[in-house]
Amino acid sequence: MDESAYFRILKNLGLIHDAATEKQASSVYSKYRFYVKYLVKAQKSVVLWGAISILLIFLVANLREDKDINQLCYFLMFAVSAKTVFFNIPVVIFYDRTLRMLIVECTHCEHVFKCDEAWYCPHCKEKNDFSDPFQYYIYSLRYSFLHKCKNCHKSPIAIQCPECHNPINLIDGETKEFAWWARLTSDTRILPVPPGHIERVIPIDEEIKRKKLEKENNPPTMLEKFKERIRSRTSSVIDLHKAKVELLEEAGLIEDPEERERVKEIIYTATEEIEEEQGI
Ligand SMILES: [Zn+2]
Ligand SMILES: [Zn+2]
């Protein structure tokens, strides 16, 4: 029996809730919030039933005399362990996979990105980064920018698109101003795009779509992104120096000192590499 058939059985048993049957779960963020609350519940159930299974296994291993109660202990141990393995764990797997498959598409430039990427909270400025393997499974979905911040438990109103830097709504209603938007840690733009300014015009045609696909499979590093931003501002040595100063000023606004130094270091390296390329 393949996996999806098993998930269908769990759905029919009422153990899995599907957003497809919910009228209100139409946008990515409403779907996300629908699934994530069940994921958290399912994770807690696995911990609870897993702990009971271990206790029962421990109890059975320490049984001494042959009494009627022993059989009951064996029965309970098998029943509880089977429930955990065949019902509780698959439910977590289902919600985890479903959530990780959801992608956010920018309403301005059609750029797409994943919902478990590291991000900065606009309310408390803390970084939500759960890329190490343990935290990845426990926290990266629970504390996605589509849900809430691990530190202050508030939800962002919008996320800044890492490509065109415009806000993408994460609630029904207005996005408010720049200070209210969450930002991916891979996004290099820390200051708002000036009104009327278009960072890059992106005509939507086949060529662009193909390039976008290529880029998704091979995303540029932060260093490459900064190099691109410096190049777009540079046509002379004076411009290069100016671009460097401007970007360093922008980086100076990062609150986390470690992150600030890291970004500044990248800007220095990017400028040096461009200087070398241009033979300055
Ligand atoms: Zn926060
Ligand atoms: Zn965009």
Side-chain angles (χ1 to χ4, degrees):
M1 185 168 59
D2 76 286
E3 240 173 38
S4 54
Y6 191 68
F7 288 143
R8 260 204 306 281
I9 293 173
L10 293 180
K11 254 180 226 177
N12 290 336
L13 287 172
L15 294 170
I16 283 178
H17 303 265
D18 197 344
T21 58
E22 299 288 313
K23 281 201 189 87
Q24 67 269 37
S26 52
S27 57
V28 176
Y29 55 84
S30 56
K31 262 196 201 110
Y32 194 92
R33 282 163 201 170
F34 174 88
Y35 283 122
V36 82
K37 69 171 189 257
Y38 288 112
L39 172 77
V40 173
K41 268 191 206 167
Q43 283 177 338
K44 285 179 182 165
S45 302
V46 166
V47 172
L48 175 72
W49 287 103
I52 297 175
S53 306
I54 291 166
L55 271 179
L56 286 167
I57 291 167
F58 185 75
L59 183 73
V60 165
N62 287 288
L63 287 178
R64 291 279 154 83
E65 290 155 50
D66 197 20
K67 287 181 185 162
D68 283 349
I69 188 111
N70 289 5
Q71 282 191 347
L72 180 69
C73 288
Y74 274 108
F75 172 76
L76 276 178
M77 181 194 77
F78 283 117
V80 170
S81 307
K83 174 184 158 42
T84 312
V85 172
F86 293 110
F87 293 110
N88 294 91
I89 292 174
V91 171
V92 170
I93 293 172
F94 173 82
Y95 288 127
D96 191 282
R97 275 201 203 157
T98 309
L99 283 165
R100 283 187 211 280
M101 275 191 308
L102 292 178
I103 48 164
V104 179
E105 182 173 352
C106 175
T107 41
H108 308 276
C109 72
E110 295 184 13
H111 177 70
V112 290
F113 51 101
K114 286 161 61 198
C115 52
D116 54 5
E117 288 198 30
W119 59 286
Y120 287 108
C121 171
H123 305 289
C124 68
K125 315 290 178 210
E126 276 296 308
K127 182 151 83 166
N128 285 272
D129 184 0
F130 309 108
S131 42
D132 79 73
F134 175 74
Q135 297 204 334
Y136 181 73
Y137 287 106
I138 311 288
Y139 294 130
S140 67
L141 291 172
R142 203 185 287 193
Y143 301 113
S144 157
F145 57 84
L146 284 169
H147 191 219
K148 61 182 177 184
C149 167
K150 183 171 189 285
N151 183 49
C152 69
H153 286 224
K154 286 185 191 157
S155 307
I157 286 163
I159 175 103
Q160 177 177 305
C161 167
E163 186 71 24
C164 71
H165 314 293
N166 282 303
I168 305 164
N169 258 10
L170 299 179
I171 52 158
D172 298 325
E174 53 170 337
T175 50
K176 295 206 181 173
E177 69 270 27
F178 186 75
W180 292 84
W181 311 342
R183 178 169 65 86
L184 296 186
T185 57
S186 59
D187 189 347
T188 59
R189 184 164 269 284
I190 298 144
L191 284 180
V193 180
H197 170 92
I198 298 163
E199 180 110 318
R200 204 175 310 134
V201 181
I202 305 170
I204 307 296
D205 60 22
E206 287 314 306
E207 174 68 4
I208 295 289
K209 275 191 184 154
R210 193 184 55 75
K211 276 192 185 157
K212 243 178 7 182
L213 264 179
E214 253 172 37
K215 238 165 109 185
E216 271 151 38
N217 296 332
N218 209 355
T221 61
M222 209 149 162
L223 177 66
E224 282 161 355
K225 282 188 196 170
F226 268 116
K227 279 170 85 172
E228 198 183 309
R229 282 187 69 189
I230 293 171
R231 272 197 210 100
S232 75
R233 294 167 182 224
T234 312
S235 60
S236 68
V237 184
I238 298 160
D239 286 343
L240 179 63
H241 179 71
K242 211 172 137 231
K244 181 169 121 183
V245 170
E246 277 173 10
L247 288 172
L248 283 173
E249 264 173 28
E250 190 181 314
L253 297 172
I254 300 175
E255 297 211 352
D256 177 21
E258 236 174 68
E259 179 67 13
R260 188 169 58 230
E261 285 318 304
R262 191 178 79 88
V263 169
K264 281 187 176 175
E265 204 52 49
I266 295 172
I267 295 171
Y268 279 118
T269 315
T271 321
E272 274 166 26
E273 286 187 13
I274 291 172
E275 273 174 356
E276 266 169 38
E277 278 166 25
Q278 297 180 343
I280 296 171

